[in-house]
Amino acid sequence: QVQLVESGGGLVHVGDSLRLSCVASGHTFTFKSYSMGWFRQAPGKEREFVTAIAWDSGTKYYIDSVKGRFTIARDNAKNTVYLEMKDLKAEDTAIYYCTTDLPRYYCSHYGRCGNYWGQGTQVTVSS
């Protein structure tokens, strides 16, 4: 069984930084072959795709609203994907989910996909 476990969320102020981590585990789960990404869901809103990283870290994607502020990275030796968030804004407040369940394009170009999700970690940015 595959597990994705996020950590690193919390309550911060506008302009602060946070680093989220997501550790993957599973007897037959070959992390290094999967594309990985982060979604977020703000209160009362749909879940939003935020960023993705290819299996070899060679390609990354960010939505416009986080470009230049968020950085996705991975360490295949540690089965871990990170989301470094800087200059946080109130509108970044959401539950952040780590996943391999990415939009189709990324499954074709970034690596394998699968229907695996973490439980989410809350990020609250206070103004």
Side-chain angles (χ1 to χ4, degrees), residues 15-73:
D16 284 351
S17 300
L18 273 178
R19 187 174 83 154
L20 308 183
S21 299
C22 171
V23 179
S25 63
H27 183 62
T28 60
F29 184 64
T30 52
F31 178 84
K32 64 183 179 182
S33 66
Y34 279 81
S35 54
M36 297 296 299
W38 292 87
F39 280 68
R40 66 185 180 184
Q41 188 165 20
K45 294 190 175 181
E46 296 285 319
R47 191 170 292 190
E48 175 184 43
F49 174 50
V50 177
T51 180
I53 186 168
W55 67 276
D56 62 352
S57 301
T59 313
K60 302 175 185 180
Y61 168 83
Y62 303 94
I63 58 173
D64 286 345
S65 60
V66 307
K67 279 181 184 176
R69 301 188 299 118
F70 288 14
T71 302
I72 189 170

Side-chain angles (χ1 to χ4, degrees), residues 73-84:
R74 66 190 295 162
D75 184 339
N76 286 345
K78 296 181 178 180
N79 283 12
T80 302
V81 61
Y82 303 98
L83 183 62
E84 186 80 39

